[in-house]
Coordinates of all heavy atoms in Angstrom, one line a residue:
D1 N 215.9 215.1 -52.9 CA 215.0 214.0 -53.0 C 213.6 214.4 -53.5 O 213.2 215.5 -53.2 CB 214.8 213.3 -51.7 CG 216.0 212.4 -51.3 OD1 216.6 211.7 -52.2 OD2 216.3 212.4 -50.1
G2 N 212.9 213.5 -54.1 CA 211.5 213.7 -54.5 C 210.6 214.0 -53.3 O 209.7 214.8 -53.4
I3 N 210.8 213.3 -52.2 CA 209.9 213.4 -51.1 C 210.1 214.8 -50.5 O 209.1 215.4 -50.1 CB 210.2 212.3 -50.0 CG1 209.8 210.9 -50.6 CG2 209.5 212.6 -48.7 CD1 210.2 209.8 -49.7
D4 N 211.3 215.3 -50.4 CA 211.6 216.6 -49.8 C 210.9 217.7 -50.7 O 210.4 218.6 -50.2 CB 213.1 216.8 -49.7 CG 213.7 216.0 -48.6 OD1 213.0 215.6 -47.7 OD2 214.9 215.7 -48.7
A5 N 211.0 217.5 -52.0 CA 210.4 218.5 -52.9 C 208.8 218.5 -52.7 O 208.2 219.6 -52.7 CB 210.7 218.1 -54.4
V6 N 208.2 217.3 -52.6 CA 206.8 217.2 -52.4 C 206.4 217.9 -51.1 O 205.4 218.6 -51.0 CB 206.3 215.7 -52.4 CG1 204.9 215.6 -52.0 CG2 206.5 215.2 -53.8
E7 N 207.2 217.6 -50.0 CA 206.9 218.2 -48.7 C 207.1 219.7 -48.8 O 206.2 220.5 -48.2 CB 207.8 217.6 -47.6 CG 207.6 218.1 -46.3 CD 206.2 217.8 -45.7 OE1 205.5 216.9 -46.2 OE2 205.8 218.5 -44.7
A8 N 208.1 220.2 -49.4 CA 208.3 221.6 -49.6 C 207.1 222.3 -50.3 O 206.6 223.4 -49.9 CB 209.6 221.9 -50.3
H9 N 206.7 221.6 -51.4 CA 205.5 222.2 -52.1 C 204.3 222.2 -51.3 O 203.5 223.2 -51.3 CB 205.3 221.3 -53.4 CG 204.2 221.8 -54.2 ND1 204.2 222.9 -54.9 CD2 202.9 221.2 -54.4 CE1 203.0 223.1 -55.6 NE2 202.2 222.1 -55.3
R10 N 204.1 221.1 -50.5 CA 202.9 221.1 -49.6 C 203.0 222.2 -48.6 O 202.0 222.9 -48.3 CB 202.8 219.7 -48.9 CG 201.5 219.6 -48.1 CD 201.5 218.3 -47.3 NE 202.5 218.3 -46.2 CZ 202.3 218.9 -45.0 NH1 201.2 219.5 -44.8 NH2 203.2 218.8 -44.1
M11 N 204.1 222.4 -48.0 CA 204.3 223.5 -47.0 C 204.0 224.9 -47.6 O 203.6 225.8 -46.9 CB 205.7 223.5 -46.4 CG 206.0 222.2 -45.6 SD 204.8 222.0 -44.2 CE 205.4 223.3 -43.1
E12 N 204.2 225.1 -48.9 CA 203.9 226.3 -49.6 C 202.4 226.4 -49.9 O 201.9 227.5 -49.8 CB 204.7 226.4 -50.9 CG 206.2 226.6 -50.7 CD 206.9 226.6 -52.0 OE1 206.3 226.6 -53.1 OE2 208.2 226.6 -52.0
E13 N 201.8 225.3 -50.3 CA 200.4 225.3 -50.7 C 199.4 225.4 -49.5 O 198.4 226.0 -49.7 CB 200.1 224.1 -51.5 CG 200.8 224.1 -52.9 CD 200.4 225.3 -53.7 OE1 199.1 225.5 -53.9 OE2 201.2 226.0 -54.3
V14 N 199.7 224.8 -48.4 CA 198.8 224.8 -47.3 C 198.4 226.2 -46.9 O 197.2 226.5 -46.7 CB 199.3 223.9 -46.1 CG1 198.4 224.1 -44.9 CG2 199.3 222.4 -46.5
P15 N 199.3 227.1 -46.6 CA 198.9 228.4 -46.2 C 198.0 229.1 -47.3 O 197.1 229.9 -47.0 CB 200.2 229.2 -46.0 CG 201.2 228.1 -45.7 CD 200.7 226.9 -46.5
K16 N 198.3 228.9 -48.6 CA 197.6 229.5 -49.6 C 196.1 229.0 -49.6 O 195.2 229.8 -49.8 CB 198.2 229.2 -51.0 CG 199.5 229.9 -51.3 CD 200.0 229.5 -52.6 CE 201.4 230.0 -52.8 NZ 202.0 229.5 -54.1
I17 N 196.0 227.7 -49.4 CA 194.6 227.1 -49.4 C 193.9 227.6 -48.2 O 192.7 227.9 -48.3 CB 194.7 225.5 -49.4 CG1 195.3 225.1 -50.7 CG2 193.4 224.9 -49.1 CD1 195.7 223.6 -50.8
Q18 N 194.5 227.7 -47.0 CA 193.9 228.2 -45.8 C 193.4 229.6 -46.0 O 192.3 230.0 -45.6 CB 194.8 228.1 -44.6 CG 195.0 226.7 -44.1 CD 196.1 226.6 -43.1 OE1 197.0 227.4 -43.0 NE2 196.0 225.6 -42.2
M19 N 194.2 230.4 -46.7 CA 193.8 231.8 -47.0 C 192.7 231.9 -47.9 O 191.7 232.7 -47.7 CB 195.0 232.6 -47.5 CG 194.8 234.1 -47.7 SD 196.2 235.0 -48.1 CE 196.6 234.4 -49.7
Q20 N 192.6 231.0 -48.9 CA 191.5 231.0 -49.9 C 190.2 230.6 -49.2 O 189.2 231.2 -49.4 CB 191.8 230.0 -51.0 CG 192.8 230.6 -52.0 CD 193.1 229.5 -53.1 OE1 193.0 228.3 -52.9 NE2 193.5 230.0 -54.2
I21 N 190.3 229.6 -48.3 CA 189.1 229.1 -47.6 C 188.6 230.3 -46.7 O 187.4 230.5 -46.6 CB 189.4 227.9 -46.8 CG1 189.6 226.7 -47.7 CG2 188.3 227.6 -45.8 CD1 190.1 225.4 -47.1
A22 N 189.5 230.9 -46.0 CA 189.1 232.0 -45.1 C 188.5 233.2 -45.9 O 187.5 233.8 -45.5 CB 190.3 232.6 -44.3
L23 N 189.0 233.4 -47.1 CA 188.4 234.5 -48.0 C 187.0 234.1 -48.4 O 186.1 234.9 -48.3 CB 189.3 234.7 -49.2 CG 188.8 235.7 -50.2 CD1 188.7 237.1 -49.6 CD2 189.7 235.8 -51.4
Y24 N 186.9 232.9 -48.9 CA 185.5 232.4 -49.3 C 184.5 232.5 -48.2 O 183.4 232.9 -48.4 CB 185.6 231.0 -49.9 CG 186.4 230.8 -51.1 CD1 187.1 229.6 -51.4 CD2 186.5 231.8 -52.1 CE1 187.8 229.5 -52.5 CE2 187.2 231.6 -53.2 CZ 187.9 230.5 -53.4 OH 188.6 230.3 -54.6
A25 N 184.9 232.1 -47.0 CA 184.0 232.1 -45.8 C 183.6 233.5 -45.5 O 182.5 233.8 -45.2 CB 184.7 231.4 -44.6
K26 N 184.6 234.4 -45.6 CA 184.3 235.9 -45.3 C 183.4 236.4 -46.3 O 182.4 237.2 -46.0 CB 185.6 236.6 -45.3 CG 185.5 238.1 -45.0 CD 185.9 238.3 -43.6 CE 185.9 239.8 -43.3 NZ 185.4 240.1 -42.0
V27 N 183.6 236.1 -47.6 CA 182.8 236.7 -48.7 C 181.3 236.2 -48.6 O 180.4 237.0 -48.8 CB 183.4 236.3 -50.1 CG1 182.4 236.7 -51.2 CG2 184.7 237.1 -50.2
V28 N 181.2 234.9 -48.4 CA 179.8 234.3 -48.4 C 179.1 234.4 -47.0 O 177.9 234.2 -46.9 CB 179.8 232.9 -48.9 CG1 180.2 232.8 -50.3 CG2 180.5 231.9 -48.0
G29 N 179.9 234.7 -46.0 CA 179.3 234.9 -44.6 C 178.9 233.6 -43.9 O 178.1 233.6 -43.0
I30 N 179.6 232.5 -44.3 CA 179.3 231.2 -43.6 C 180.4 231.0 -42.5 O 181.6 231.1 -42.8 CB 179.4 230.0 -44.6 CG1 178.3 230.1 -45.6 CG2 179.3 228.7 -43.8 CD1 178.3 229.0 -46.7
K31 N 179.9 230.7 -41.4 CA 180.8 230.3 -40.3 C 180.5 228.8 -39.9 O 179.4 228.5 -39.4 CB 180.6 231.2 -39.0 CG 181.5 230.8 -37.9 CD 181.2 231.8 -36.7 CE 182.0 231.3 -35.5 NZ 181.7 232.1 -34.3
W32 N 181.4 227.9 -40.2 CA 181.1 226.5 -40.0 C 181.4 226.1 -38.6 O 182.3 226.6 -37.9 CB 182.1 225.7 -40.9 CG 181.8 225.9 -42.4 CD1 182.5 226.7 -43.2 CD2 180.8 225.3 -43.1 NE1 182.0 226.6 -44.5 CE2 180.9 225.8 -44.5 CE3 179.7 224.4 -42.9 CZ2 180.1 225.4 -45.5 CZ3 178.9 224.0 -43.9 CH2 179.0 224.5 -45.2
D33 N 180.6 225.2 -38.0 CA 180.8 224.7 -36.7 C 181.3 223.3 -36.9 O 180.6 222.3 -36.9 CB 179.4 224.6 -35.9 CG 179.6 224.2 -34.5 OD1 180.7 223.7 -34.2 OD2 178.6 224.3 -33.7
Y34 N 182.7 223.3 -37.0 CA 183.4 222.0 -37.3 C 183.2 221.0 -36.1 O 183.2 219.8 -36.4 CB 184.8 222.2 -37.6 CG 185.0 223.0 -38.9 CD1 185.5 224.3 -38.8 CD2 184.8 222.5 -40.1 CE1 185.7 225.1 -40.0 CE2 185.0 223.2 -41.3 CZ 185.4 224.5 -41.2 OH 185.6 225.2 -42.4
D35 N 183.1 221.5 -34.9 CA 183.0 220.6 -33.8 C 181.7 219.8 -33.7 O 181.7 218.7 -33.3 CB 183.2 221.4 -32.4 CG 184.6 222.0 -32.3 OD1 185.5 221.4 -32.8 OD2 184.7 223.0 -31.6
E36 N 180.7 220.4 -34.3 CA 179.4 219.8 -34.3 C 179.0 219.1 -35.6 O 178.0 218.5 -35.7 CB 178.3 220.8 -33.9 CG 178.4 221.4 -32.5 CD 178.2 220.3 -31.4 OE1 177.3 219.5 -31.6 OE2 178.9 220.4 -30.4
S37 N 179.8 219.4 -36.6 CA 179.5 218.8 -37.9 C 180.2 217.4 -38.1 O 181.3 217.3 -38.4 CB 180.1 219.7 -39.0 OG 179.4 221.0 -39.0
V38 N 179.4 216.4 -37.7 CA 179.9 215.0 -37.8 C 178.8 214.1 -38.4 O 177.7 214.5 -38.5 CB 180.2 214.5 -36.3 CG1 181.3 215.2 -35.7 CG2 179.0 214.6 -35.5
G39 N 179.3 213.1 -39.0 CA 178.4 212.1 -39.6 C 177.6 212.6 -40.7 O 176.5 212.1 -40.9
G40 N 178.1 213.5 -41.5 CA 177.4 214.1 -42.6 C 176.5 215.2 -42.3 O 175.8 215.8 -43.2
I41 N 176.4 215.6 -41.0 CA 175.6 216.8 -40.6 C 176.5 218.0 -40.7 O 177.6 218.1 -40.2 CB 175.1 216.6 -39.2 CG1 174.3 215.3 -39.0 CG2 174.3 217.9 -38.7 CD1 173.1 215.3 -39.8
L42 N 176.0 219.0 -41.5 CA 176.7 220.3 -41.7 C 176.0 221.3 -40.8 O 174.8 221.5 -40.9 CB 176.7 220.7 -43.1 CG 177.2 219.7 -44.2 CD1 176.9 220.2 -45.6 CD2 178.6 219.4 -44.0
K43 N 176.8 221.9 -39.9 CA 176.3 222.9 -39.0 C 177.1 224.2 -39.1 O 178.3 224.2 -39.3 CB 176.3 222.4 -37.6 CG 175.3 221.3 -37.3 CD 175.3 221.0 -35.8 CE 174.2 220.0 -35.4 NZ 174.2 219.7 -34.0
G44 N 176.4 225.3 -38.8 CA 177.1 226.6 -38.8 C 176.1 227.7 -38.8 O 174.9 227.5 -38.4
E45 N 176.5 228.8 -39.2 CA 175.6 230.0 -39.3 C 176.0 230.8 -40.5 O 177.2 230.8 -40.9 CB 175.6 230.8 -38.0 CG 176.9 231.5 -37.7 CD 176.8 232.2 -36.3 OE1 176.1 231.7 -35.4 OE2 177.4 233.3 -36.3
V46 N 175.0 231.5 -41.0 CA 175.2 232.3 -42.2 C 174.8 233.8 -41.8 O 173.7 234.0 -41.3 CB 174.4 231.9 -43.4 CG1 174.4 232.8 -44.5 CG2 174.8 230.5 -43.8
A47 N 175.7 234.7 -42.1 CA 175.3 236.1 -41.9 C 174.5 236.6 -43.1 O 174.9 236.3 -44.3 CB 176.6 236.9 -41.8
V48 N 173.5 237.3 -42.9 CA 172.6 237.9 -43.9 C 172.7 239.4 -43.7 O 171.8 240.0 -43.1 CB 171.2 237.3 -43.9 CG1 170.4 237.9 -45.1 CG2 171.2 235.8 -43.8
P49 N 173.7 240.1 -44.3 CA 173.8 241.5 -44.0 C 172.7 242.4 -44.4 O 172.3 243.3 -43.8 CB 175.1 241.9 -44.8 CG 175.8 240.6 -45.2 CD 174.7 239.5 -45.1
T50 N 172.0 242.0 -45.5 CA 170.9 242.8 -46.0 C 169.7 242.8 -45.0 O 168.9 243.7 -45.0 CB 170.4 242.3 -47.4 OG1 170.0 240.9 -47.3 CG2 171.4 242.4 -48.4
K51 N 169.6 241.7 -44.2 CA 168.6 241.6 -43.2 C 169.1 241.9 -41.8 O 168.3 242.0 -40.9 CB 168.0 240.2 -43.2 CG 167.5 239.7 -44.6 CD 166.0 239.7 -44.6 CE 165.6 239.2 -46.0 NZ 164.3 239.5 -46.3
G52 N 170.4 242.1 -41.7 CA 171.0 242.3 -40.4 C 170.8 241.2 -39.4 O 170.7 241.4 -38.2
V53 N 170.8 239.9 -39.9 CA 170.7 238.8 -39.0 C 171.7 237.7 -39.4 O 172.3 237.7 -40.4 CB 169.3 238.2 -39.2 CG1 168.2 239.1 -38.7 CG2 169.0 237.7 -40.6
C54 N 171.8 236.8 -38.5 CA 172.6 235.5 -38.7 C 171.6 234.4 -38.6 O 170.7 234.4 -37.7 CB 173.7 235.4 -37.7 SG 175.0 236.5 -37.9
R55 N 171.7 233.4 -39.4 CA 170.8 232.2 -39.4 C 171.6 231.0 -39.1 O 172.6 230.8 -39.9 CB 170.0 232.1 -40.7 CG 169.0 233.1 -40.9 CD 167.9 232.6 -41.7 NE 166.8 233.6 -41.7 CZ 166.3 234.2 -42.8 NH1 166.9 233.9 -44.0 NH2 165.3 235.0 -42.7
Q56 N 171.2 230.2 -38.1 CA 171.9 229.0 -37.9 C 171.3 227.9 -38.8 O 170.2 228.0 -39.2 CB 171.7 228.5 -36.5 CG 172.4 229.4 -35.5 CD 172.3 228.9 -34.0 OE1 171.4 228.1 -33.7 NE2 173.2 229.4 -33.2
F57 N 172.2 227.0 -39.2 CA 171.7 225.9 -40.1 C 172.2 224.6 -39.7 O 173.3 224.5 -39.0 CB 172.1 226.2 -41.6 CG 173.6 226.2 -41.8 CD1 174.2 225.0 -42.1 CD2 174.3 227.3 -41.8 CE1 175.6 225.0 -42.4 CE2 175.6 227.3 -42.1 CZ 176.3 226.1 -42.4
E58 N 171.5 223.6 -40.0 CA 171.9 222.2 -39.8 C 171.3 221.4 -41.0 O 170.1 221.3 -41.2 CB 171.3 221.6 -38.5 CG 171.7 220.2 -38.3 CD 171.1 219.7 -36.9 OE1 171.2 220.5 -36.0 OE2 170.7 218.5 -36.9
I59 N 172.2 220.9 -41.8 CA 171.8 220.2 -43.1 C 172.4 218.8 -43.0 O 173.6 218.6 -42.8 CB 172.3 220.9 -44.3 CG1 171.8 222.4 -44.3 CG2 171.9 220.2 -45.6 CD1 172.3 223.2 -45.4
D60 N 171.6 217.8 -43.2 CA 172.0 216.4 -43.3 C 172.4 216.1 -44.7 O 171.6 215.9 -45.6 CB 171.0 215.4 -42.8 CG 171.5 214.0 -42.7 OD1 172.5 213.7 -43.2 OD2 170.8 213.2 -42.0
S61 N 173.7 216.1 -45.0 CA 174.2 215.8 -46.4 C 174.0 214.3 -46.8 O 174.2 214.0 -47.9 CB 175.7 216.2 -46.5 OG 176.5 215.4 -45.7
N62 N 173.6 213.5 -45.8 CA 173.3 212.1 -46.2 C 171.9 212.0 -46.8 O 171.6 211.1 -47.5 CB 173.3 211.2 -44.9 CG 174.7 211.1 -44.3 OD1 175.7 210.9 -45.0 ND2 174.8 211.4 -43.0
E63 N 171.0 213.0 -46.5 CA 169.7 213.0 -47.0 C 169.5 213.9 -48.2 O 168.5 213.8 -48.9 CB 168.7 213.4 -45.9 CG 168.6 212.4 -44.8 CD 167.6 212.8 -43.7 OE1 166.8 213.7 -44.0 OE2 167.7 212.3 -42.6
H64 N 170.5 214.7 -48.5 CA 170.4 215.7 -49.6 C 171.6 215.6 -50.5 O 172.7 215.5 -49.9 CB 170.2 217.1 -49.1 CG 169.0 217.2 -48.1 ND1 167.7 217.2 -48.6 CD2 168.9 217.3 -46.8 CE1 166.9 217.3 -47.5 NE2 167.6 217.3 -46.4
D65 N 171.5 215.7 -51.8 CA 172.6 215.7 -52.6 C 173.4 217.0 -52.6 O 172.9 218.0 -52.0 CB 172.3 215.3 -54.1 CG 171.4 216.3 -54.8 OD1 171.3 217.4 -54.3 OD2 170.7 215.9 -55.7
E66 N 174.5 217.1 -53.2 CA 175.4 218.3 -53.1 C 174.6 219.5 -53.7 O 174.8 220.6 -53.3 CB 176.7 218.1 -53.9 CG 177.6 217.1 -53.2 CD 178.8 216.8 -54.0 OE1 179.0 217.3 -55.1 OE2 179.7 216.0 -53.5
F67 N 173.9 219.3 -54.8 CA 173.1 220.3 -55.4 C 172.1 221.0 -54.4 O 172.0 222.2 -54.3 CB 172.4 219.8 -56.7 CG 171.6 220.8 -57.4 CD1 172.3 221.7 -58.3 CD2 170.2 220.9 -57.3 CE1 171.6 222.7 -59.0 CE2 169.5 221.9 -58.0 CZ 170.2 222.8 -58.8
D68 N 171.4 220.1 -53.7 CA 170.4 220.6 -52.8 C 171.1 221.4 -51.6 O 170.6 222.4 -51.1 CB 169.5 219.5 -52.2 CG 168.6 219.0 -53.3 OD1 168.2 219.7 -54.2 OD2 168.1 217.8 -53.1
V69 N 172.2 220.8 -51.1 CA 172.9 221.5 -50.0 C 173.4 222.9 -50.5 O 173.2 223.8 -49.8 CB 174.1 220.6 -49.6 CG1 175.0 221.4 -48.6 CG2 173.6 219.3 -48.9
A70 N 174.0 222.9 -51.7 CA 174.5 224.2 -52.2 C 173.3 225.2 -52.4 O 173.4 226.4 -52.0 CB 175.2 224.0 -53.5
N71 N 172.2 224.7 -52.9 CA 171.0 225.6 -53.1 C 170.5 226.1 -51.7 O 170.1 227.3 -51.6 CB 169.9 224.9 -53.8 CG 170.2 224.9 -55.3 OD1 170.9 225.7 -55.8 ND2 169.5 224.0 -56.0
E72 N 170.5 225.3 -50.7 CA 170.1 225.7 -49.4 C 171.0 226.7 -48.8 O 170.5 227.7 -48.2 CB 170.0 224.4 -48.5 CG 169.5 224.8 -47.1 CD 168.1 225.3 -47.0 OE1 167.4 225.2 -48.0 OE2 167.8 225.9 -46.0
L73 N 172.3 226.5 -49.0 CA 173.2 227.5 -48.4 C 173.1 228.9 -49.2 O 173.1 229.9 -48.5 CB 174.7 227.0 -48.5 CG 175.0 225.9 -47.6 CD1 176.4 225.3 -47.9 CD2 174.9 226.3 -46.1
W74 N 172.9 228.8 -50.5 CA 172.7 230.1 -51.2 C 171.4 230.8 -50.8 O 171.3 232.0 -50.6 CB 172.6 229.8 -52.7 CG 174.0 229.7 -53.3 CD1 174.5 228.6 -53.9 CD2 175.0 230.8 -53.4 NE1 175.8 228.9 -54.3 CE2 176.1 230.2 -54.0 CE3 175.0 232.1 -53.0 CZ2 177.3 230.9 -54.3 CZ3 176.2 232.8 -53.2 CH2 177.3 232.2 -53.9
A75 N 170.3 230.0 -50.5 CA 169.1 230.6 -50.1 C 169.3 231.2 -48.7 O 168.7 232.3 -48.5 CB 168.0 229.5 -50.0
L76 N 170.0 230.6 -47.9 CA 170.3 231.2 -46.6 C 171.1 232.5 -46.7 O 170.8 233.5 -46.1 CB 171.2 230.3 -45.7 CG 170.4 229.1 -45.0 CD1 171.4 228.1 -44.5 CD2 169.6 229.6 -43.9
M77 N 172.1 232.5 -47.6 CA 172.9 233.7 -47.8 C 172.1 234.9 -48.4 O 172.4 236.0 -48.2 CB 174.1 233.4 -48.7 CG 175.1 232.6 -48.0 SD 176.6 232.3 -49.0 CE 176.0 231.0 -50.1
E78 N 171.0 234.5 -49.2 CA 170.2 235.5 -49.8 C 169.1 236.0 -48.9 O 168.3 236.9 -49.2 CB 169.6 235.0 -51.1 CG 170.6 234.7 -52.2 CD 170.0 234.0 -53.4 OE1 168.9 233.4 -53.3 OE2 170.7 234.0 -54.4
G79 N 169.0 235.4 -47.7 CA 168.0 235.8 -46.7 C 166.6 235.1 -46.9 O 165.7 235.6 -46.3
K80 N 166.6 234.1 -47.8 CA 165.3 233.4 -48.0 C 165.1 232.4 -46.8 O 166.0 232.0 -46.2 CB 165.3 232.7 -49.3 CG 165.5 233.6 -50.5 CD 165.6 232.9 -51.8 CE 165.7 233.8 -52.9 NZ 165.9 233.1 -54.2
Q81 N 163.9 232.1 -46.6 CA 163.6 231.1 -45.6 C 164.1 229.7 -46.0 O 163.8 229.2 -47.0 CB 162.0 231.0 -45.4 CG 161.6 230.1 -44.3 CD 162.1 230.5 -42.9 OE1 162.3 231.7 -42.6 NE2 162.4 229.6 -42.0
P82 N 164.9 229.1 -45.1 CA 165.5 227.8 -45.4 C 164.5 226.7 -45.4 O 163.5 226.8 -44.6 CB 166.5 227.6 -44.3 CG 166.1 228.5 -43.2 CD 165.4 229.7 -43.8
A83 N 164.6 225.8 -46.3 CA 163.7 224.6 -46.4 C 164.3 223.4 -45.8 O 163.6 222.5 -45.3 CB 163.4 224.4 -47.8
L84 N 165.6 223.2 -45.8 CA 166.2 222.0 -45.3 C 166.9 222.1 -44.0 O 167.5 221.2 -43.5 CB 167.3 221.5 -46.3 CG 166.9 221.4 -47.8 CD1 168.1 221.0 -48.6 CD2 165.8 220.3 -47.9
T85 N 166.8 223.2 -43.3 CA 167.5 223.4 -42.1 C 166.6 223.3 -40.9 O 165.4 223.4 -41.0 CB 168.2 224.8 -42.1 OG1 167.1 225.8 -42.2 CG2 169.2 225.0 -43.2
C86 N 167.2 223.2 -39.7 CA 166.5 223.1 -38.5 C 166.7 224.4 -37.7 O 167.7 225.0 -37.8 CB 167.0 221.9 -37.6 SG 166.8 220.3 -38.4

């Protein structure tokens, strides 16, 4: 059946996607706090190996567009002082 084929494909793809997400998170040093990230608030911490620190962040994605959120996360990863975080 078509439904069985779709489900089989999904079962193959989900572990691949999970592995990719884990790899991206490891490479960029972002640890998301999914339990506290609700209502458009993105929370977590970023490791900054060059500075030997971790920085917590909280960004309201309702108040900032995707471009600003991405720039803020990059600034955190580069060890720059965050502008949009608490």
Side-chain angles (χ1 to χ4, degrees):
D1 283 320
I3 293 174
D4 291 334
V6 169
E7 181 63 18
H9 180 69
R10 186 185 71 80
M11 294 300 289
E12 291 175 5
E13 290 300 311
V14 168
K16 290 178 189 176
I17 293 168
Q18 289 173 330
M19 188 171 62
Q20 286 176 334
I21 290 170
L23 176 63
Y24 294 147
K26 181 105 174 143
V27 168
V28 298
I30 295 177
K31 181 180 175 188
W32 297 100
D33 186 348
Y34 295 109
D35 294 332
E36 296 294 323
S37 296
V38 293
I41 304 297
L42 305 173
K43 289 187 177 184
E45 63 183 40
V46 173
V48 185
T50 57
K51 305 252 183 199
V53 298
C54 287
R55 290 207 170 118
Q56 292 184 341
F57 65 88
E58 179 177 322
I59 303 172
D60 187 343
S61 65
N62 297 311
E63 295 182 14
H64 306 285
D65 63 21
E66 292 175 359
F67 181 79
D68 289 336
V69 171
N71 280 339
E72 180 63 17
L73 290 172
W74 279 114
L76 283 166
M77 290 183 284
E78 293 172 348
K80 297 177 181 174
Q81 183 63 31
L84 304 177
T85 60
C86 301

